[in-house]
Amino acid sequence: MLRALSLALPQAALPALLMVVIINLSSLPQPAGASELGKRKGWVIFESEKPYETLLQDLRAAVKAEGLVVVTQAGPTQAAAARGITIPGNRVVGVFNNDYAVRILALSTAAMIEAPLRFYVTEVDADHTHLAYKRPSFVFAPYLNEGGGRLLRISTDLDRRFAAIAQAALH
């Protein structure tokens, strides 16, 4: 494209045109840094001074104590290490139980795509981690037209339980 434009512009104008293009490109939104989680709609984010592995263990114990089950766990940290790449600890922990699954399925088949609901543990450095999750009421909001007030009550109950899990894991 610049080549086609250069035919119509005097050679002296090309550096100015190139500067305009660079300035315009640099004003576009840039990706955020990967080390910190920023505020996002529907998310609850906590900072912790617990080491990554300790926070993960405490999260798993808190989930169990609250009567939910760790259904899934996934993260790139170990796979990256196996490839010789070191990255900060990063783990998504899926949490749910069969009681909620059966109750939600009775209200909205589509809503079950959101299960299990997830906690996200990220390591910033050796003594600084984040624990985050999307509020269940936020996650299930798109399905309220199908599930109505009963789905709203389930999701707000899950909000309470997720908050309790987070507090227990952080302390």
Side-chain angles (χ1 to χ4, degrees):
M1 185 167 145
L2 286 178
R3 185 155 207 228
L5 290 174
S6 69
L7 297 175
L9 293 172
Q11 284 296 95
L14 280 179
L17 177 63
L18 194 52
M19 185 60 74
V20 168
V21 169
I22 290 170
I23 290 170
N24 283 331
L25 289 175
S26 67
S27 68
L28 293 174
Q30 300 297 313
S35 64
E36 298 282 336
L37 288 177
K39 291 183 180 182
R40 298 169 189 278
K41 184 177 180 180
W43 284 52
V44 180
I45 303 170
F46 298 96
E47 290 193 37
S48 173
E49 293 181 4
K50 288 186 177 185
Y52 170 75
E53 287 296 335
T54 302
L55 184 56
L56 268 177
Q57 290 172 359
D58 292 349
L59 174 63
R60 291 181 194 117
V63 166
K64 185 175 181 180
E66 189 59 35
L68 297 176
V69 179
V70 172
V71 179
T72 60
Q73 294 186 65
T77 309
Q78 284 90 1
R83 296 175 45 225
I85 302 168
T86 301
I87 61 172
N90 187 292
R91 179 68 58 117
V92 176
V93 179
V95 173
F96 221 58
N97 73 18
N98 187 257
D99 177 60
Y100 283 112
V102 170
R103 290 168 49 205
I104 290 171
L105 272 172
L107 302 172
S108 170
T109 301
M112 278 304 293
I113 189 98
E114 306 298 347
L117 298 168
R118 297 170 304 277
F119 284 95
Y120 189 27
V121 179
T122 57
E123 178 181 42
V124 178
D125 57 44
D127 297 315
H128 183 197
T129 52
H130 288 141
L131 174 63
Y133 64 91
K134 291 182 184 179
R135 282 187 338 276
S137 59
F138 176 79
V139 173
F140 287 119
Y143 310 98
L144 292 179
N145 62 329
E146 295 172 24
R150 289 191 298 171
L151 182 57
L152 179 61
R153 284 188 295 281
I154 290 169
S155 64
T156 55
D157 180 49
L158 283 164
D159 282 352
R160 180 194 57 75
R161 293 180 91 171
F162 266 58
I165 290 166
Q167 288 306 310
L170 291 163
H171 293 96

